[in-house]
Amino acid sequence: MSLATPESIQKLQTALHDKAKKSPDFRFYSLYDKVYRKDVLTYAYACCKANGGVAGVDNQTFEDIEAYGAERWLDELMQELKDRTYQPLPVRRVYIPKPGSNKQRPLGIPAIRERVVMMAAVLVLDPIFEADLQPEQYAYRRNRSALDAVRHVHKLINTGHVEIVDADLAGYFDTLPHAELLKSVARRVVDGAMIHLIN
């Protein structure tokens, strides 16, 4: 399910993207307050709800939140973020079968509140880092699928390119060097509250 991005968030994302694109060395120092904007949190919640998923360690479901009152729930989450009292819950760990083997793959399931906060952070950070990516980079980008990458490779083959390198990093996210990743983020983001939030 695809949700239309509200105009207010489109304007925010366009402004962030344009600044990042025009000033490749600019470091953003005031982003955290955008994460707890009501429109950003509301849209983040809608995106998470559209994705579905099971409850985290708190056993809270979307149905529970709706019964409680989604707006009230979001207002409370917004206040925690604004007051900087927000504390993420641990991630629920489950194991699922790994296709093609008898091994199990670990899967982390965050609580819905953490999913909403992380989605809000993505809504703010994505346009900044998107501005730095090259056109030929397809992985994990909005409106760029694996099929788009295949089409691009096919086009290159048809225009005379003869070598293709296919690489897959096994267990990449399990071994991702966290400190180095945060250094990369700090190249663009110096807002300490935002860094703390995503750390």
Side-chain angles (χ1 to χ4, degrees), residues 89-101:
L89 295 170
V91 173
R92 182 175 146 218
R93 175 70 73 188
V94 297
Y95 292 87
I96 59 173
K98 197 170 184 178
S101 77

Side-chain angles (χ1 to χ4, degrees), residues 28-64:
F28 291 81
Y29 52 87
S30 181
L31 296 172
Y32 182 77
D33 62 322
K34 280 100 179 134
V35 171
Y36 61 77
R37 273 180 30 175
K38 183 69 181 256
D39 59 339
V40 172
L41 278 178
T42 300
Y43 183 59
Y45 176 80
C47 291
C48 292
K49 186 177 176 192
N51 286 338
V54 297
V57 295
D58 60 355
N59 291 319
Q60 187 174 55
T61 64
F62 286 105
E63 291 79 14
D64 295 334

Side-chain angles (χ1 to χ4, degrees), residues 29-188:
Y29 52 87
S30 181
L31 296 172
Y32 182 77
D33 62 322
K34 280 100 179 134
V35 171
Y36 61 77
R37 273 180 30 175
K38 183 69 181 256
D39 59 339
V40 172
L41 278 178
T42 300
Y43 183 59
Y45 176 80
C47 291
C48 292
K49 186 177 176 192
N51 286 338
V54 297
V57 295
D58 60 355
N59 291 319
Q60 187 174 55
T61 64
F62 286 105
E63 291 79 14
D64 295 334
I65 293 168
E66 296 296 322
Y68 180 76
E71 188 161 339
R72 178 174 150 202
W73 185 88
L74 283 166
D75 285 342
E76 291 170 2
L77 182 58
M78 180 176 65
Q79 198 60 51
E80 282 184 49
L81 288 163
K82 192 173 186 178
D83 294 342
R84 299 189 186 195
T85 58
Y86 168 79
Q87 291 294 319
L89 295 170
V91 173
R92 182 175 146 218
R93 175 70 73 188
V94 297
Y95 292 87
I96 59 173
K98 197 170 184 178
S101 77
N102 58 357
K103 294 181 179 179
Q104 297 278 310
R105 183 169 71 92
L107 182 66
I109 303 172
I112 292 171
R113 57 187 263 121
E114 275 62 67
R115 284 182 246 170
V116 171
V117 170
M118 287 302 108
M119 178 59 74
V122 166
L123 291 171
V124 173
L125 292 172
D126 182 67
I128 295 168
F129 290 98
E130 178 69 28
D132 293 337
L133 296 176
Q134 299 301 313
E136 61 273 7
Q137 293 174 301
Y138 285 88
Y140 304 104
R141 292 177 77 181
R142 188 181 308 168
N143 300 321
R144 287 176 179 259
S145 68
L147 188 55
D148 292 328
V150 170
R151 286 186 188 117
H152 185 73
V153 168
H154 186 63
K155 182 179 174 184
L156 291 172
I157 290 170
N158 287 336
T159 57
H161 293 80
V162 293
E163 293 183 18
I164 298 172
V165 176
D166 182 17
D168 188 14
L169 302 173
Y172 177 70
F173 290 107
D174 298 333
T175 60
L176 190 65
H178 194 71
E180 283 74 13
L181 179 62
L182 285 178
K183 283 180 190 173
S184 292
V185 171
R187 185 180 56 78
R188 274 301 206 168

